Amino acid sequence: LKDFMSASNGKTYKNINKSSQIRKLEKKLKREQRSLSRKYENYKKHNKNLKGVAIRQNIQKQKLKVQKLHQRLDNIRTDYVNKVISELVKTKPMWITIEDLNISGMMKNRHISKAIAQQKFFEFRTKLLAKCKEYGIELRVVDRFYPSSKTCHNCGCIKSDLKLSDRTYHCCECGYTEDRDYNASLNLRDCLTYKIA
């Protein structure tokens, strides 16, 4: 996942999980989880004697460390989602169009499932809907089968052989070249078939 979101005004919201702060915390979390795992293994060996009692207390302390790191990571991601929504809504557009993504289908791909889960797409959609209702903005949801990424914004030609690895959209018919996500955002903005959330 290159970016969190691309807007039709040309603004791109970066993927917060690629920031140095998150990466440092993820690295720390890995170390603390390894330490917790080792403590559990020691406890299995010594749970009959007095040493096992001390190990059990250390396990509780280590668990708390891991939980705090999980909470901190979750708070950073939630805060970022809130900031993006706030920035979108404060421009007071007449409508906002989003795509209905098949998140459960994406989660089945083990290569990208962790990255998808960390993006908090469902939380983003729920909070965006609440904010849109608060500000009186129409939230349009385009069907998941609408070929937003595969359609050329310039001539409307559909490129059916577009792969996920192709980050730049190049139209064979008119020669239009643009960033894949920005092209998709323009198509979603101009889409006439949608449901109002």
Side-chain angles (χ1 to χ4, degrees), residues 13-75:
Y13 297 92
K14 64 184 175 68
N15 184 352
I16 189 76
N17 297 306
K18 290 185 176 180
S19 68
S20 59
Q21 185 190 16
I22 291 276
R23 280 184 170 163
K24 274 180 192 171
L25 285 171
E26 289 273 5
K27 203 173 179 182
K28 194 176 178 184
L29 180 64
K30 261 185 192 174
R31 280 201 299 270
E32 297 296 354
Q33 281 177 326
R34 269 203 298 267
S35 175
L36 181 63
S37 180
R38 280 198 298 271
K39 282 177 172 61
Y40 266 120
E41 291 303 314
N42 278 343
Y43 181 65
K44 281 179 190 173
K45 290 175 192 170
H46 304 284
N47 66 345
K48 297 276 193 304
N49 54 31
L50 287 168
K51 197 179 178 185
V53 177
I55 294 169
R56 194 168 66 225
Q57 288 169 344
N58 288 343
I59 285 171
Q60 292 308 316
K61 288 179 202 168
Q62 192 62 30
K63 258 188 187 177
L64 197 63
K65 277 186 188 177
V66 170
Q67 285 168 351
K68 279 180 179 175
L69 279 171
H70 273 298
Q71 189 178 20
R72 194 163 168 215
L73 282 163
D74 189 56
N75 288 347

Short mmCIF file of all heavy atoms in Angstrom, two decimals, residues 13-75:
data_model
loop_
_atom_site.label_atom_id
_atom_site.label_comp_id
_atom_site.label_asym_id
_atom_site.label_seq_id
_atom_site.Cartn_x
_atom_site.Cartn_y
_atom_site.Cartn_z
N TYR A 13 -2.74 11.51 0.71
CA TYR A 13 -2.51 11.29 2.14
C TYR A 13 -1.63 10.06 2.30
O TYR A 13 -2.00 8.98 1.88
CB TYR A 13 -3.85 11.12 2.87
CG TYR A 13 -4.72 12.35 2.78
CD1 TYR A 13 -5.64 12.50 1.75
CD2 TYR A 13 -4.58 13.39 3.69
CE1 TYR A 13 -6.43 13.64 1.64
CE2 TYR A 13 -5.35 14.54 3.59
CZ TYR A 13 -6.27 14.65 2.56
OH TYR A 13 -7.05 15.78 2.47
N LYS A 14 -0.46 10.29 2.90
CA LYS A 14 0.55 9.21 2.98
C LYS A 14 0.09 8.07 3.89
O LYS A 14 -0.78 8.25 4.74
CB LYS A 14 1.89 9.76 3.45
CG LYS A 14 1.89 10.33 4.86
CD LYS A 14 3.23 10.95 5.20
CE LYS A 14 3.23 11.63 6.55
NZ LYS A 14 3.11 10.76 7.69
N ASN A 15 0.74 6.94 3.70
CA ASN A 15 0.48 5.77 4.54
C ASN A 15 1.24 5.97 5.86
O ASN A 15 2.46 5.96 5.88
CB ASN A 15 0.97 4.52 3.80
CG ASN A 15 0.67 3.24 4.54
OD1 ASN A 15 0.23 3.25 5.68
ND2 ASN A 15 0.90 2.13 3.89
N ILE A 16 0.51 6.16 6.94
CA ILE A 16 1.11 6.43 8.26
C ILE A 16 1.98 5.27 8.74
O ILE A 16 2.94 5.47 9.48
CB ILE A 16 0.01 6.77 9.32
CG1 ILE A 16 0.60 7.27 10.65
CG2 ILE A 16 -0.90 5.59 9.58
CD1 ILE A 16 1.09 8.67 10.65
N ASN A 17 1.69 4.05 8.28
CA ASN A 17 2.45 2.87 8.71
C ASN A 17 3.86 2.83 8.14
O ASN A 17 4.67 2.00 8.55
CB ASN A 17 1.70 1.59 8.35
CG ASN A 17 0.37 1.52 9.07
OD1 ASN A 17 0.31 1.62 10.28
ND2 ASN A 17 -0.71 1.39 8.33
N LYS A 18 4.14 3.72 7.18
CA LYS A 18 5.49 3.78 6.62
C LYS A 18 6.33 4.87 7.29
O LYS A 18 7.48 5.07 6.93
CB LYS A 18 5.42 4.04 5.11
CG LYS A 18 4.89 2.84 4.34
CD LYS A 18 4.93 3.06 2.86
CE LYS A 18 4.48 1.80 2.13
NZ LYS A 18 4.50 1.98 0.68
N SER A 19 5.75 5.57 8.26
CA SER A 19 6.49 6.64 8.95
C SER A 19 7.50 6.02 9.92
O SER A 19 7.33 4.89 10.39
CB SER A 19 5.52 7.54 9.71
OG SER A 19 4.93 6.83 10.77
N SER A 20 8.56 6.80 10.22
CA SER A 20 9.64 6.29 11.09
C SER A 20 9.13 6.01 12.50
O SER A 20 9.58 5.06 13.15
CB SER A 20 10.79 7.29 11.13
OG SER A 20 10.33 8.54 11.62
N GLN A 21 8.18 6.81 12.98
CA GLN A 21 7.63 6.63 14.33
C GLN A 21 6.96 5.27 14.48
O GLN A 21 7.22 4.52 15.43
CB GLN A 21 6.63 7.75 14.62
CG GLN A 21 6.10 7.72 16.04
CD GLN A 21 4.92 8.66 16.27
OE1 GLN A 21 4.30 9.13 15.33
NE2 GLN A 21 4.64 8.94 17.52
N ILE A 22 6.11 4.93 13.50
CA ILE A 22 5.40 3.64 13.54
C ILE A 22 6.40 2.48 13.39
O ILE A 22 6.30 1.47 14.09
CB ILE A 22 4.31 3.57 12.43
CG1 ILE A 22 3.17 4.53 12.73
CG2 ILE A 22 3.79 2.15 12.23
CD1 ILE A 22 2.09 4.03 13.66
N ARG A 23 7.35 2.64 12.48
CA ARG A 23 8.33 1.57 12.26
C ARG A 23 9.16 1.29 13.51
O ARG A 23 9.44 0.12 13.83
CB ARG A 23 9.24 1.93 11.08
CG ARG A 23 8.56 1.66 9.76
CD ARG A 23 9.46 1.90 8.60
NE ARG A 23 8.85 1.40 7.37
CZ ARG A 23 9.24 1.75 6.17
NH1 ARG A 23 10.23 2.59 6.00
NH2 ARG A 23 8.64 1.25 5.10
N LYS A 24 9.54 2.34 14.23
CA LYS A 24 10.31 2.17 15.48
C LYS A 24 9.46 1.43 16.51
O LYS A 24 9.96 0.53 17.20
CB LYS A 24 10.71 3.54 16.04
CG LYS A 24 11.99 4.08 15.46
CD LYS A 24 12.31 5.43 16.06
CE LYS A 24 13.43 6.12 15.30
NZ LYS A 24 13.59 7.53 15.74
N LEU A 25 8.19 1.83 16.64
CA LEU A 25 7.30 1.18 17.61
C LEU A 25 7.04 -0.28 17.25
O LEU A 25 6.97 -1.14 18.13
CB LEU A 25 5.99 1.94 17.72
CG LEU A 25 6.04 3.26 18.50
CD1 LEU A 25 4.75 4.03 18.34
CD2 LEU A 25 6.33 3.03 19.96
N GLU A 26 6.90 -0.56 15.95
CA GLU A 26 6.69 -1.95 15.47
C GLU A 26 7.90 -2.81 15.82
O GLU A 26 7.76 -3.97 16.23
CB GLU A 26 6.45 -1.98 13.95
CG GLU A 26 5.11 -1.42 13.51
CD GLU A 26 4.00 -2.43 13.50
OE1 GLU A 26 4.20 -3.58 13.92
OE2 GLU A 26 2.89 -2.07 13.05
N LYS A 27 9.09 -2.23 15.64
CA LYS A 27 10.34 -2.94 15.94
C LYS A 27 10.42 -3.24 17.44
O LYS A 27 10.79 -4.34 17.85
CB LYS A 27 11.52 -2.08 15.50
CG LYS A 27 12.79 -2.85 15.23
CD LYS A 27 13.84 -1.94 14.63
CE LYS A 27 15.13 -2.70 14.36
NZ LYS A 27 16.18 -1.83 13.83
N LYS A 28 10.07 -2.23 18.24
CA LYS A 28 10.08 -2.39 19.70
C LYS A 28 9.07 -3.45 20.13
O LYS A 28 9.34 -4.27 21.01
CB LYS A 28 9.75 -1.05 20.35
CG LYS A 28 10.06 -1.00 21.84
CD LYS A 28 9.81 0.38 22.42
CE LYS A 28 10.07 0.39 23.90
NZ LYS A 28 9.75 1.66 24.53
N LEU A 29 7.88 -3.42 19.50
CA LEU A 29 6.82 -4.39 19.82
C LEU A 29 7.30 -5.82 19.54
O LEU A 29 7.05 -6.73 20.32
CB LEU A 29 5.56 -4.08 19.01
CG LEU A 29 4.35 -4.99 19.21
CD1 LEU A 29 3.82 -4.90 20.63
CD2 LEU A 29 3.25 -4.66 18.23
N LYS A 30 8.00 -6.00 18.41
CA LYS A 30 8.53 -7.33 18.06
C LYS A 30 9.46 -7.84 19.16
O LYS A 30 9.38 -9.00 19.57
CB LYS A 30 9.31 -7.25 16.74
CG LYS A 30 8.54 -7.70 15.54
CD LYS A 30 9.44 -7.69 14.32
CE LYS A 30 8.62 -7.85 13.05
NZ LYS A 30 9.44 -7.69 11.86
N ARG A 31 10.35 -6.95 19.61
CA ARG A 31 11.32 -7.33 20.66
C ARG A 31 10.60 -7.71 21.96
O ARG A 31 10.93 -8.70 22.59
CB ARG A 31 12.29 -6.18 20.93
CG ARG A 31 13.41 -6.07 19.93
CD ARG A 31 14.58 -5.29 20.51
NE ARG A 31 14.21 -3.93 20.87
CZ ARG A 31 14.28 -2.88 20.06
NH1 ARG A 31 14.69 -3.03 18.81
NH2 ARG A 31 13.94 -1.68 20.48
N GLU A 32 9.62 -6.89 22.34
CA GLU A 32 8.88 -7.14 23.60
C GLU A 32 8.07 -8.43 23.51
O GLU A 32 7.94 -9.15 24.49
CB GLU A 32 7.98 -5.95 23.94
CG GLU A 32 8.69 -4.63 24.20
CD GLU A 32 9.60 -4.63 25.40
OE1 GLU A 32 9.64 -5.61 26.17
OE2 GLU A 32 10.32 -3.62 25.58
N GLN A 33 7.52 -8.71 22.34
CA GLN A 33 6.74 -9.95 22.17
C GLN A 33 7.64 -11.19 22.21
O GLN A 33 7.24 -12.23 22.74
CB GLN A 33 5.95 -9.90 20.85
CG GLN A 33 4.71 -9.06 20.97
CD GLN A 33 3.95 -8.94 19.67
OE1 GLN A 33 4.54 -8.92 18.59
NE2 GLN A 33 2.65 -8.83 19.75
N ARG A 34 8.85 -11.04 21.65
CA ARG A 34 9.82 -12.15 21.73
C ARG A 34 10.20 -12.42 23.19
O ARG A 34 10.28 -13.57 23.62
CB ARG A 34 11.07 -11.81 20.93
CG ARG A 34 11.01 -12.26 19.48
CD ARG A 34 12.40 -12.42 18.89
NE ARG A 34 13.12 -11.16 18.87
CZ ARG A 34 13.14 -10.31 17.84
NH1 ARG A 34 12.45 -10.58 16.75
NH2 ARG A 34 13.84 -9.20 17.89
N SER A 35 10.39 -11.32 23.92
CA SER A 35 10.74 -11.44 25.35
C SER A 35 9.61 -12.12 26.13
O SER A 35 9.85 -12.99 26.97
CB SER A 35 10.99 -10.04 25.92
OG SER A 35 11.22 -10.10 27.29
N LEU A 36 8.37 -11.76 25.82
CA LEU A 36 7.20 -12.37 26.47
C LEU A 36 7.13 -13.86 26.16
O LEU A 36 6.86 -14.68 27.04
CB LEU A 36 5.92 -11.67 26.02
CG LEU A 36 4.60 -12.16 26.61
CD1 LEU A 36 4.55 -11.96 28.12
CD2 LEU A 36 3.41 -11.46 25.96
N SER A 37 7.41 -14.22 24.93
CA SER A 37 7.39 -15.61 24.50
C SER A 37 8.44 -16.43 25.26
O SER A 37 8.17 -17.55 25.72
CB SER A 37 7.64 -15.70 23.00
OG SER A 37 7.62 -17.03 22.58
N ARG A 38 9.64 -15.84 25.41
CA ARG A 38 10.71 -16.54 26.16
C ARG A 38 10.32 -16.75 27.62
O ARG A 38 10.58 -17.80 28.20
CB ARG A 38 12.02 -15.73 26.09
CG ARG A 38 12.80 -15.90 24.81
CD ARG A 38 14.24 -15.44 24.97
NE ARG A 38 14.30 -14.03 25.31
CZ ARG A 38 14.36 -13.03 24.42
NH1 ARG A 38 14.34 -13.31 23.12
NH2 ARG A 38 14.45 -11.78 24.80
N LYS A 39 9.68 -15.75 28.21
CA LYS A 39 9.24 -15.86 29.61
C LYS A 39 8.21 -16.99 29.77
O LYS A 39 8.21 -17.71 30.76
CB LYS A 39 8.67 -14.53 30.09
CG LYS A 39 9.75 -13.53 30.45
CD LYS A 39 9.15 -12.21 30.86
CE LYS A 39 10.18 -11.24 31.41
NZ LYS A 39 11.23 -10.89 30.48
N TYR A 40 7.31 -17.13 28.79
CA TYR A 40 6.32 -18.22 28.82
C TYR A 40 7.01 -19.58 28.76
O TYR A 40 6.63 -20.52 29.46
CB TYR A 40 5.33 -18.07 27.66
CG TYR A 40 4.07 -17.34 28.01
CD1 TYR A 40 3.71 -16.17 27.36
CD2 TYR A 40 3.22 -17.82 29.00
CE1 TYR A 40 2.54 -15.48 27.68
CE2 TYR A 40 2.04 -17.15 29.33
CZ TYR A 40 1.71 -15.99 28.66
OH TYR A 40 0.56 -15.32 28.99
N GLU A 41 8.01 -19.67 27.88
CA GLU A 41 8.75 -20.94 27.74
C GLU A 41 9.47 -21.30 29.04
O GLU A 41 9.49 -22.47 29.45
CB GLU A 41 9.76 -20.85 26.58
CG GLU A 41 9.13 -20.79 25.20
CD GLU A 41 8.21 -21.95 24.88
OE1 GLU A 41 8.59 -23.11 25.14
OE2 GLU A 41 7.09 -21.70 24.39
N ASN A 42 10.06 -20.29 29.71
CA ASN A 42 10.72 -20.53 31.01
C ASN A 42 9.73 -20.97 32.07
O ASN A 42 10.02 -21.82 32.90
CB ASN A 42 11.42 -19.25 31.49
CG ASN A 42 12.77 -19.08 30.85
OD1 ASN A 42 13.33 -20.03 30.31
ND2 ASN A 42 13.30 -17.88 30.90
N TYR A 43 8.54 -20.37 32.04
CA TYR A 43 7.51 -20.70 33.02
C TYR A 43 7.06 -22.15 32.89
O TYR A 43 6.80 -22.84 33.88
CB TYR A 43 6.33 -19.74 32.88
CG TYR A 43 5.22 -20.00 33.89
CD1 TYR A 43 5.43 -19.80 35.24
CD2 TYR A 43 3.97 -20.45 33.47
CE1 TYR A 43 4.43 -20.05 36.16
CE2 TYR A 43 2.96 -20.70 34.38
CZ TYR A 43 3.19 -20.50 35.73
OH TYR A 43 2.20 -20.74 36.64
N LYS A 44 7.00 -22.65 31.66
CA LYS A 44 6.61 -24.05 31.42
C LYS A 44 7.60 -25.01 32.09
O LYS A 44 7.23 -26.07 32.58
CB LYS A 44 6.53 -24.33 29.92
CG LYS A 44 5.27 -23.83 29.26
CD LYS A 44 5.31 -24.13 27.79
CE LYS A 44 4.17 -23.45 27.05
NZ LYS A 44 4.31 -23.62 25.58
N LYS A 45 8.89 -24.60 32.09
CA LYS A 45 9.92 -25.46 32.68
C LYS A 45 9.91 -25.41 34.21
O LYS A 45 10.18 -26.40 34.88
CB LYS A 45 11.31 -25.01 32.19
CG LYS A 45 11.57 -25.31 30.74
CD LYS A 45 12.90 -24.71 30.32
CE LYS A 45 13.05 -24.74 28.81
NZ LYS A 45 14.23 -23.96 28.37
N HIS A 46 9.60 -24.22 34.79
CA HIS A 46 9.76 -24.03 36.23
C HIS A 46 8.45 -23.79 36.98
O HIS A 46 8.48 -23.29 38.10
CB HIS A 46 10.68 -22.83 36.50
CG HIS A 46 12.01 -22.95 35.85
ND1 HIS A 46 13.01 -23.76 36.33
CD2 HIS A 46 12.51 -22.35 34.73
CE1 HIS A 46 14.07 -23.65 35.55
NE2 HIS A 46 13.79 -22.80 34.57
N ASN A 47 7.30 -24.13 36.40
CA ASN A 47 6.03 -23.80 37.06
C ASN A 47 5.77 -24.60 38.34
O ASN A 47 4.88 -24.25 39.10
CB ASN A 47 4.85 -23.91 36.09
CG ASN A 47 4.61 -25.34 35.63
OD1 ASN A 47 5.46 -26.20 35.81
ND2 ASN A 47 3.47 -25.58 35.03
N LYS A 48 6.54 -25.64 38.61
CA LYS A 48 6.32 -26.44 39.82
C LYS A 48 7.03 -25.84 41.05
O LYS A 48 6.62 -26.05 42.17
CB LYS A 48 6.83 -27.87 39.60
CG LYS A 48 6.10 -28.63 38.49
CD LYS A 48 4.82 -29.25 39.00
CE LYS A 48 4.22 -30.26 38.04
NZ LYS A 48 3.95 -29.81 36.70
N ASN A 49 8.13 -25.12 40.83
CA ASN A 49 8.91 -24.62 41.98
C ASN A 49 8.72 -23.12 42.21
O ASN A 49 7.95 -22.46 41.53
CB ASN A 49 10.39 -24.97 41.80
CG ASN A 49 10.92 -24.46 40.47
OD1 ASN A 49 10.45 -23.44 39.97
ND2 ASN A 49 11.89 -25.16 39.92
N LEU A 50 9.47 -22.57 43.17
CA LEU A 50 9.36 -21.16 43.57
C LEU A 50 9.77 -20.22 42.44
O LEU A 50 9.26 -19.11 42.35
CB LEU A 50 10.22 -20.89 44.82
CG LEU A 50 9.68 -21.46 46.13
CD1 LEU A 50 10.73 -21.40 47.22
CD2 LEU A 50 8.42 -20.70 46.56
N LYS A 51 10.71 -20.67 41.62
CA LYS A 51 11.18 -19.82 40.52
C LYS A 51 10.03 -19.51 39.55
O LYS A 51 9.96 -18.43 38.97
CB LYS A 51 12.33 -20.52 39.79
CG LYS A 51 13.13 -19.57 38.91
CD LYS A 51 14.27 -20.28 38.22
CE LYS A 51 15.01 -19.29 37.33
NZ LYS A 51 16.05 -19.95 36.55
N GLY A 52 9.11 -20.48 39.42
CA GLY A 52 7.95 -20.31 38.54
C GLY A 52 7.06 -19.15 38.95
O GLY A 52 6.48 -18.46 38.11
N VAL A 53 6.95 -18.88 40.26
CA VAL A 53 6.13 -17.78 40.79
C VAL A 53 6.71 -16.43 40.35
O VAL A 53 5.99 -15.54 39.91
CB VAL A 53 6.03 -17.85 42.34
CG1 VAL A 53 5.25 -16.67 42.88
CG2 VAL A 53 5.39 -19.16 42.77
N ALA A 54 8.04 -16.31 40.46
CA ALA A 54 8.72 -15.07 40.05
C ALA A 54 8.57 -14.84 38.55
O ALA A 54 8.33 -13.71 38.09
CB ALA A 54 10.20 -15.14 40.42
N ILE A 55 8.68 -15.91 37.78
CA ILE A 55 8.54 -15.82 36.31
C ILE A 55 7.13 -15.38 35.95
O ILE A 55 6.93 -14.56 35.05
CB ILE A 55 8.91 -17.16 35.62
CG1 ILE A 55 10.40 -17.47 35.81
CG2 ILE A 55 8.59 -17.10 34.11
CD1 ILE A 55 10.82 -18.87 35.41
N ARG A 56 6.14 -15.91 36.71
CA ARG A 56 4.74 -15.55 36.43
C ARG A 56 4.51 -14.04 36.64
O ARG A 56 3.79 -13.40 35.89
CB ARG A 56 3.81 -16.37 37.33
CG ARG A 56 2.35 -16.31 36.86
CD ARG A 56 1.48 -17.33 37.54
NE ARG A 56 1.36 -17.05 38.96
CZ ARG A 56 1.46 -17.98 39.91
NH1 ARG A 56 1.70 -19.23 39.60
NH2 ARG A 56 1.35 -17.66 41.19
N GLN A 57 5.13 -13.49 37.68
CA GLN A 57 5.01 -12.04 37.93
C GLN A 57 5.66 -11.23 36.81
O GLN A 57 5.15 -10.20 36.39
CB GLN A 57 5.66 -11.70 39.28
CG GLN A 57 4.85 -12.18 40.47
CD GLN A 57 5.61 -12.08 41.78
OE1 GLN A 57 6.82 -11.94 41.79
NE2 GLN A 57 4.88 -12.18 42.89
N ASN A 58 6.81 -11.73 36.33
CA ASN A 58 7.50 -11.06 35.22
C ASN A 58 6.69 -11.12 33.93
O ASN A 58 6.72 -10.19 33.12
CB ASN A 58 8.88 -11.68 34.98
CG ASN A 58 9.87 -11.32 36.06
OD1 ASN A 58 9.63 -10.37 36.82
ND2 ASN A 58 10.94 -12.07 36.18
N ILE A 59 5.96 -12.23 33.75
CA ILE A 59 5.09 -12.38 32.57
C ILE A 59 4.02 -11.29 32.58
O ILE A 59 3.74 -10.67 31.56
CB ILE A 59 4.46 -13.80 32.52
CG1 ILE A 59 5.51 -14.83 32.08
CG2 ILE A 59 3.26 -13.84 31.57
CD1 ILE A 59 5.06 -16.27 32.18
N GLN A 60 3.44 -11.05 33.76
CA GLN A 60 2.38 -10.03 33.88
C GLN A 60 2.92 -8.64 33.53
O GLN A 60 2.27 -7.85 32.83
CB GLN A 60 1.79 -10.01 35.31
CG GLN A 60 1.00 -11.25 35.67
CD GLN A 60 -0.09 -11.61 34.65
OE1 GLN A 60 -0.81 -10.76 34.17
NE2 GLN A 60 -0.17 -12.90 34.32
N LYS A 61 4.15 -8.34 34.00
CA LYS A 61 4.78 -7.04 33.69
C LYS A 61 5.05 -6.91 32.18
O LYS A 61 4.82 -5.86 31.58
CB LYS A 61 6.12 -6.92 34.44
CG LYS A 61 5.99 -6.69 35.92
CD LYS A 61 7.39 -6.61 36.52
CE LYS A 61 7.39 -6.91 38.00
NZ LYS A 61 8.75 -7.10 38.51
N GLN A 62 5.53 -8.02 31.60
CA GLN A 62 5.85 -8.01 30.17
C GLN A 62 4.59 -7.87 29.31
O GLN A 62 4.58 -7.18 28.30
CB GLN A 62 6.62 -9.29 29.81
CG GLN A 62 7.25 -9.28 28.43
CD GLN A 62 8.28 -8.20 28.26
OE1 GLN A 62 8.95 -7.81 29.21
NE2 GLN A 62 8.41 -7.70 27.05
N LYS A 63 3.52 -8.54 29.75
CA LYS A 63 2.22 -8.44 29.06
C LYS A 63 1.76 -6.99 29.01
O LYS A 63 1.27 -6.51 27.99
CB LYS A 63 1.16 -9.27 29.80
CG LYS A 63 0.84 -10.60 29.19
CD LYS A 63 -0.35 -11.20 29.91
CE LYS A 63 -0.62 -12.61 29.47
NZ LYS A 63 -1.72 -13.23 30.22
N LEU A 64 1.91 -6.30 30.13
CA LEU A 64 1.51 -4.90 30.23
C LEU A 64 2.30 -4.03 29.25
O LEU A 64 1.73 -3.14 28.61
CB LEU A 64 1.71 -4.41 31.67
CG LEU A 64 0.98 -3.12 32.06
CD1 LEU A 64 -0.52 -3.30 31.98
CD2 LEU A 64 1.39 -2.69 33.45
N LYS A 65 3.60 -4.30 29.12
CA LYS A 65 4.44 -3.57 28.17
C LYS A 65 3.94 -3.75 26.74
O LYS A 65 3.84 -2.79 25.97
CB LYS A 65 5.90 -4.07 28.25
CG LYS A 65 6.72 -3.47 29.36
CD LYS A 65 8.16 -3.95 29.22
CE LYS A 65 8.99 -3.53 30.41
NZ LYS A 65 10.37 -4.07 30.32
N VAL A 66 3.63 -4.99 26.38
CA VAL A 66 3.15 -5.31 25.03
C VAL A 66 1.81 -4.64 24.77
O VAL A 66 1.59 -4.05 23.71
CB VAL A 66 3.06 -6.85 24.83
CG1 VAL A 66 2.34 -7.21 23.54
CG2 VAL A 66 4.45 -7.48 24.85
N GLN A 67 0.90 -4.69 25.76
CA GLN A 67 -0.42 -4.08 25.62
C GLN A 67 -0.32 -2.56 25.43
O GLN A 67 -1.04 -1.99 24.62
CB GLN A 67 -1.28 -4.40 26.84
CG GLN A 67 -1.80 -5.83 26.86
CD GLN A 67 -2.40 -6.23 28.20
OE1 GLN A 67 -2.28 -5.51 29.18
NE2 GLN A 67 -3.03 -7.39 28.23
N LYS A 68 0.60 -1.93 26.18
CA LYS A 68 0.79 -0.48 26.06
C LYS A 68 1.28 -0.09 24.67
O LYS A 68 0.87 0.92 24.11
CB LYS A 68 1.76 0.02 27.13
CG LYS A 68 1.10 0.22 28.49
CD LYS A 68 2.09 0.73 29.52
CE LYS A 68 1.41 0.94 30.87
NZ LYS A 68 2.37 1.32 31.92
N LEU A 69 2.18 -0.91 24.12
CA LEU A 69 2.70 -0.64 22.77
C LEU A 69 1.60 -0.79 21.73
O LEU A 69 1.49 0.01 20.81
CB LEU A 69 3.87 -1.58 22.44
CG LEU A 69 5.22 -1.17 23.01
CD1 LEU A 69 6.24 -2.27 22.82
CD2 LEU A 69 5.72 0.11 22.35
N HIS A 70 0.77 -1.85 21.88
CA HIS A 70 -0.37 -2.05 20.97
C HIS A 70 -1.32 -0.86 21.02
O HIS A 70 -1.77 -0.36 19.99
CB HIS A 70 -1.14 -3.33 21.34
CG HIS A 70 -0.59 -4.56 20.70
ND1 HIS A 70 -0.56 -4.74 19.33
CD2 HIS A 70 -0.06 -5.69 21.23
CE1 HIS A 70 -0.03 -5.92 19.05
NE2 HIS A 70 0.28 -6.51 20.19
N GLN A 71 -1.58 -0.38 22.24
CA GLN A 71 -2.49 0.75 22.43
C GLN A 71 -1.93 2.02 21.81
O GLN A 71 -2.64 2.79 21.17
CB GLN A 71 -2.75 0.97 23.92
CG GLN A 71 -3.86 1.98 24.18
CD GLN A 71 -4.15 2.17 25.65
OE1 GLN A 71 -3.33 1.85 26.50
NE2 GLN A 71 -5.31 2.68 25.97
N ARG A 72 -0.61 2.22 21.98
CA ARG A 72 0.03 3.42 21.43
C ARG A 72 -0.04 3.43 19.90
O ARG A 72 -0.35 4.46 19.29
CB ARG A 72 1.48 3.47 21.89
CG ARG A 72 2.10 4.83 21.65
CD ARG A 72 3.36 5.04 22.45
NE ARG A 72 4.02 6.23 21.95
CZ ARG A 72 5.32 6.38 21.88
NH1 ARG A 72 6.12 5.42 22.31
NH2 ARG A 72 5.86 7.49 21.42
N LEU A 73 0.23 2.28 19.29
CA LEU A 73 0.16 2.16 17.83
C LEU A 73 -1.26 2.42 17.34
O LEU A 73 -1.47 3.14 16.36
CB LEU A 73 0.62 0.76 17.38
CG LEU A 73 2.12 0.52 17.37
CD1 LEU A 73 2.42 -0.97 17.31
CD2 LEU A 73 2.77 1.22 16.19
N ASP A 74 -2.24 1.84 18.05
CA ASP A 74 -3.64 2.02 17.69
C ASP A 74 -4.06 3.49 17.80
O ASP A 74 -4.76 4.01 16.93
CB ASP A 74 -4.52 1.15 18.60
CG ASP A 74 -5.97 1.10 18.14
OD1 ASP A 74 -6.20 0.73 16.97
OD2 ASP A 74 -6.85 1.47 18.93
N ASN A 75 -3.60 4.17 18.85
CA ASN A 75 -3.93 5.58 19.05
C ASN A 75 -3.36 6.46 17.94
O ASN A 75 -4.03 7.39 17.48
CB ASN A 75 -3.41 6.07 20.41
CG ASN A 75 -4.20 5.51 21.57
OD1 ASN A 75 -5.28 4.97 21.39
ND2 ASN A 75 -3.66 5.62 22.77
#
